[in-house]
Amino acid sequence: MEISNNKVVQIHYTGKLTDGTVFDSSEGREALEFIFGSGMIIPGLEEGLAGMKATEKKTVEIGFEKAYGPVQEQAKQEVPKAQMPEGIELQVGMQLAAQGPQGQPMPVTVAEIKDETVVMDFNHPLAGKDLVFEVEVVEVREATKEELEHGHTHPEGESCGSEEASEDKKEE
Ligand code: ZN
């Protein structure tokens, strides 16, 4: 079965920057499972995976436009030092967890430290970066009707127990 829209796909992957630095990998973890075509993974990776079959391997090179997008200057915000969490010695490049609009954790990076304020960068840490993914397709199967309604996968065929379909609920 080939990877196409509304298939449930499992992959093992290693994501690298173009200089070879590994930023994420499924090695030692369970394979990443997602519904293909639903925007759960970055667009460039979906394009690279389309048409692949189980056990196939591939190296997918992805320009930043089809990964995490360009760095946006307006995503940098100056925050008064008094509003920063206490007990943290701030350093440029340090990552903190802020809370996103839906309460989800969002990584932010300390971009600059001024006298009274700190410039926080809300860009994705991989914004503006070209990426290289080494992927291996583990499994391709049809999504069940329930999975498509929920917008996420049900590993091992077990339902998540949720009656309410929630588009933005993410599964670990
Ligand atoms: Zn569900």
Side-chain angles (χ1 to χ4, degrees):
M1 187 179 292
E2 289 185 1
I3 295 178
S4 60
N5 283 348
N6 295 337
K7 299 282 191 291
V8 171
V9 178
Q10 277 187 11
I11 58 168
H12 272 298
Y13 67 93
T14 298
K16 299 177 189 173
L17 304 179
T18 48
D19 68 1
T21 309
V22 174
F23 61 83
D24 190 17
S25 173
S26 63
E27 204 180 305
R29 301 204 305 246
E30 286 190 41
L32 174 70
E33 186 176 80
F34 57 94
I35 301 174
F36 192 82
S38 62
M40 286 182 188
I41 60 171
I42 55 175
L45 192 51
E46 285 210 325
E47 279 180 25
L49 287 167
M52 288 181 72
K53 295 175 188 158
T55 74
E56 284 186 342
K57 294 182 184 182
K58 192 171 179 180
T59 300
V60 185
E61 294 179 21
I62 306 168
F64 69 86
E65 302 91 341
K66 289 192 172 173
Y68 293 92
V71 173
Q72 294 180 334
E73 277 307 310
Q74 65 268 32
K76 294 182 183 171
Q77 266 179 38
E78 244 176 281
V79 180
K81 274 187 180 164
Q83 283 183 23
M84 300 300 294
E86 284 178 48
I88 296 179
E89 201 176 324
L90 294 170
Q91 285 173 346
V92 171
M94 181 185 250
Q95 269 192 17
L96 302 171
Q99 234 172 46
Q102 269 117 34
Q104 77 277 29
M106 255 177 65
V108 295
T109 310
V110 177
E112 199 182 334
I113 301 172
K114 299 185 178 181
D115 285 346
E116 300 291 331
T117 62
V118 181
V119 180
M120 302 300 290
D121 185 353
F122 287 84
N123 282 290
H124 190 283
L126 294 172
K129 297 206 164 52
D130 297 334
L131 309 177
V132 179
F133 276 88
E134 284 171 21
V135 293
E136 179 180 358
V137 179
V138 178
E139 193 189 304
V140 185
R141 65 171 169 86
E142 294 287 351
T144 65
K145 191 166 162 279
E146 197 182 31
E147 284 174 325
L148 292 176
E149 279 172 3
H150 287 197
H152 57 228
T153 65
H154 292 156
E156 315 290 334
E158 287 175 27
S159 180
C160 58
S162 157
E163 290 293 316
E164 305 237 7
S166 170
E167 284 284 308
D168 51 17
K169 189 182 157 197
K170 282 207 177 125
E171 296 216 327
E172 289 298 323

